[in-house]
Amino acid sequence: MVVVMKLNSSAEEITRVNGRLQASGFQTHMIRGVKRIVIGAVGDKQSINISSLEAMPGVEKVLRIMKPYKLVSRESKEENTVVRVGGVNIGGTGLAVIAGPCAVESEEQLINAAQAVRRAGANILRGGTYKPRTSPYSFQGLEEEGLRLLAEAGAATGLATITEVVDEDSLARACHYVDMLQIGARNMQNFRLLRLAGRSGKPVLLKRGMSATVEEWLMAAEYIVSSGNENVVLCERGIRTFENSTRNTLDLSAVALAKTLTHLPVIVDPSHATGRRELVASMSRAGVAAGADGLIIEVHPDPPAALCDGQQSLDPGEFAALMKTLRPVARAVGREI
Ligand code: PEP
Ligand code: MN
């Protein structure tokens, strides 16, 4: 349930209500909206008298949340959450564009990619350093050396940075180097990793699992938020369907739906969703038109030479052209880029 505090409730009243909930065995989370504070309380409703809780000074109302996800639901917080990554806002009126190579391969490759995406207008640099590959014989990433290169490229270009973490060790190391952690499709239900990300203090990009329902995706986000980290951005990256002419099927209806069900920002990954470079621009525009708060796009200085996902990576010229065509679409749906 959530306890909605009155607009003018005092800090003391909030503390008293919070204390009463905790004393009754509830786990509580303060959700600070622009206008008011609500207290998310997870626990056994039988253990508290709701009408006497409602009668406490400062309390406006107590709402039961029927959905299995509580803290991430729109019912618990009406307005959009804006997640801050370095100096970039995701979920506000601006459109956030994350771009860069699938994997960090070398200093030269990364700095070229970083400069190109920054020139074209991207805000955050992506670069995989711990790669979850289908084959154990494929390039697995430069690991800590890659993190160091990513931090350097971020500092050199002024871009915020993101990398994927796959386990406790990579998460702990990545926290020293990057501004945002990515949890990939394959780890969306790695609940221990989700909890660790929740305790990391870093914003988290949570990709939808390739066979995950929207509800399972939101429950995964609930793990992170309930571990103390409200800075979660959801990412639709395509789901597995019978269709095999694209790598995955971009589920744009899930983007529009998720925006109604949760206050968290939602972005689109047209690169993994399609697996085909020639479809990335149109699906980027479609994602923005569907209400996405941003995009994550793979860009490589020389896609045919890429060690990972070259077939779906844009070269710098293609990315710059895409950014130009994105602007009028963004403006048409009330977004600045
Ligand atoms: C990636 O972003 O490079 C990646 C592996 O994505 P996903 O987890 O969506 O497959
Ligand atoms: Mn990739």
Side-chain angles (χ1 to χ4, degrees):
M1 65 189 180
V2 292
V3 181
V4 181
M5 301 302 295
K6 287 186 178 146
L7 277 180
N8 56 357
S9 58
S10 67
E12 211 189 340
E13 287 167 346
I14 294 167
T15 308
R16 224 175 292 130
V17 173
N18 192 38
R20 164 116 186 246
L21 287 163
Q22 288 181 347
S24 305
F26 286 86
Q27 240 195 324
T28 61
H29 301 267
M30 294 289 167
I31 305 168
R32 289 170 206 280
V34 177
K35 284 183 281 185
R36 61 174 88 238
I37 286 198
V38 307
I39 305 174
V42 185
D44 178 11
K45 282 181 297 294
Q46 309 304 328
S47 61
I48 200 159
N49 180 326
I50 304 282
S51 27
S52 80
L53 183 64
E54 249 169 350
M56 286 183 77
V59 174
E60 178 156 312
K61 58 187 171 187
V62 177
L63 297 174
R64 284 188 61 193
I65 296 186
M66 306 305 282
K67 302 256 170 27
Y69 43 89
K70 314 281 180 198
L71 303 172
V72 307
S73 74
R74 275 266 181 222
E75 289 165 284
S76 73
K77 184 179 170 209
E78 229 177 279
E79 73 259 23
N80 294 329
T81 287
V82 178
V83 173
R84 200 158 173 81
V85 181
V88 182
N89 284 338
I90 310 181
T93 53
L95 190 77
V97 179
I98 305 172
C102 179
V104 176
E105 298 169 8
S106 68
E107 184 173 358
E108 193 193 354
Q109 171 249 15
L110 186 64
I111 195 72
N112 284 343
Q115 282 166 348
V117 302
R118 187 185 59 94
R119 264 197 309 274
N123 328 91
I124 301 176
L125 176 65
R126 65 152 287 154
T129 50
Y130 294 84
K131 295 303 301 175
R133 304 302 299 277
T134 302
S135 166
Y137 309 118
S138 301
F139 176 59
Q140 304 284 308
L142 295 183
E143 305 194 342
E144 192 152 8
E145 169 65 4
L147 290 172
R148 201 177 56 72
L149 295 175
L150 192 55
E152 271 176 23
T157 53
L159 291 168
T161 53
I162 179 170
T163 203
E164 178 170 354
V165 295
V166 294
D167 56 17
E168 191 162 354
D169 177 65
S170 54
L171 184 145
R173 288 176 201 272
C175 283
H176 295 295
Y177 294 95
V178 297
D179 299 301
M180 186 178 209
L181 306 175
Q182 176 176 322
I183 294 193
R186 290 156 193 80
N187 274 310
M188 190 206 82
Q189 285 189 313
N190 182 340
F191 299 115
R192 194 174 147 71
L193 188 63
L194 297 174
R195 283 212 190 283
L196 290 169
R199 295 201 287 264
S200 70
K202 294 276 182 186
V204 179
L205 180 68
L206 177 64
K207 291 203 163 187
R208 181 181 180 187
M210 55 189 90
S211 299
T213 63
V214 170
E215 186 169 297
E216 287 164 340
W217 187 24
L218 294 175
M219 290 304 284
E222 186 83 8
Y223 261 90
I224 303 173
V225 178
S226 67
S227 306
N229 185 353
E230 210 208 11
N231 295 312
V232 178
V233 176
L234 297 163
C235 176
E236 160 60 33
R237 48 75 75 201
I239 51 172
R240 277 266 164 97
T241 67
F242 58 84
E243 180 56 71
N244 60 8
S245 49
T246 48
R247 182 174 178 178
N248 291 291
T249 297
L250 178 56
D251 186 5
L252 280 182
S253 58
V255 175
L257 177 64
K259 290 290 297 174
T260 70
L261 298 176
T262 178
H263 53 86
L264 297 176
V266 182
I267 72 166
V268 165
D269 175 347
S271 309
H272 293 87
T274 62
R276 296 171 65 144
R277 171 181 318 121
E278 70 276 22
L279 303 180
V280 168
S282 49
M283 291 304 99
S284 299
R285 292 188 291 266
V288 173
D293 296 293
L295 297 164
I296 178 166
I297 300 173
E298 287 186 337
V299 180
H300 192 285
D302 182 12
L307 296 181
C308 185
D309 286 350
Q311 77 292 345
Q312 66 194 33
S313 300
L314 302 184
D315 66 27
E318 290 166 331
F319 179 68
L322 160 61
M323 289 296 285
K324 279 203 185 109
T325 68
L326 217 48
R327 290 194 177 98
V329 179
R331 277 197 290 273
V333 293
R335 301 246 177 204
E336 304 142 16
I337 69 167

